[in-house]
Amino acid sequence: ARLTQEDWQTQRDQMLNTCHQCHSLNFAKAELAKGDQMIKAADRLMAEAIRIVADLYKDGLLKKPDSYAYPFPDLLTFQDSATTIEQQLFVMFLEHRMRAFQGTFHASPDYALWYGWSEMQRDLTEIKEKAQDLRDKAQSK
């Protein structure tokens, strides 16, 4: 983890210097920019999924664990998740988002797409469906 902008930029510059040994600097910068866009898009998918689960907590359709200090799921406690929708969210974050990230920044678009982005899209679809099922069941009671 790079905790400051300066630390992040130092690592970024080192990466550019490494890439620049074989590629033009413009090419290396463009590839990093593509990666930045991929992770931003992946994080938008994550944010949508997190909001869905948080809304289920807020509406009382899922019991929010007492250990959660905030109204959002704690993405680092996947081993304690009590429901399949929470488990799906954790897999989306810990596995599929990471694959999208790794594939993109390791110049493997196939891996980033098939094992990362596409899986995140499927995760989000399943989370939406499960949330709607919970809402439908609650409404029919």
Side-chain angles (χ1 to χ4, degrees), residues 47-59 61-62 64 68 71-74 83 85-90 127 131 135:
E48 185 176 352
I50 289 166
R51 277 192 222 92
I52 290 169
V53 174
D55 286 346
L56 292 171
Y57 292 155
K58 182 180 78 175
D59 296 340
L61 299 172
L62 280 182
K64 183 175 81 88
Y68 290 7
F72 299 98
D74 181 348
T83 66
I85 194 168
E86 290 168 302
Q87 291 170 358
Q88 189 76 42
L89 179 67
F90 298 131
I127 287 168
R135 292 189 180 287

Side-chain angles (χ1 to χ4, degrees), residues 86-100:
E86 290 168 302
Q87 291 170 358
Q88 189 76 42
L89 179 67
F90 298 131
V91 168
M92 182 181 186
F93 176 66
L94 294 170
E95 186 174 338
H96 300 143
R97 180 187 173 275
M98 184 54 70
R99 288 177 176 174

Side-chain angles (χ1 to χ4, degrees), residues 2-60:
R2 310 306 181 270
L3 301 180
T4 67
Q5 178 67 30
E6 183 180 87
D7 289 343
W8 180 86
Q9 191 61 55
T10 297
Q11 291 295 312
R12 183 82 161 201
D13 291 344
Q14 287 176 357
M15 189 180 301
L16 284 171
N17 289 334
T18 298
C19 296
H20 186 53
Q21 292 175 22
C22 300
H23 304 283
S24 76
L25 192 55
N26 286 338
F27 175 83
K29 286 180 178 180
E31 290 303 301
L32 287 178
K34 288 178 196 175
D36 293 342
Q37 292 306 311
M38 169 59 99
I39 205 64
K40 286 177 184 177
D43 284 348
R44 281 192 285 281
L45 292 181
M46 280 305 312
E48 185 176 352
I50 289 166
R51 277 192 222 92
I52 290 169
V53 174
D55 286 346
L56 292 171
Y57 292 155
K58 182 180 78 175
D59 296 340

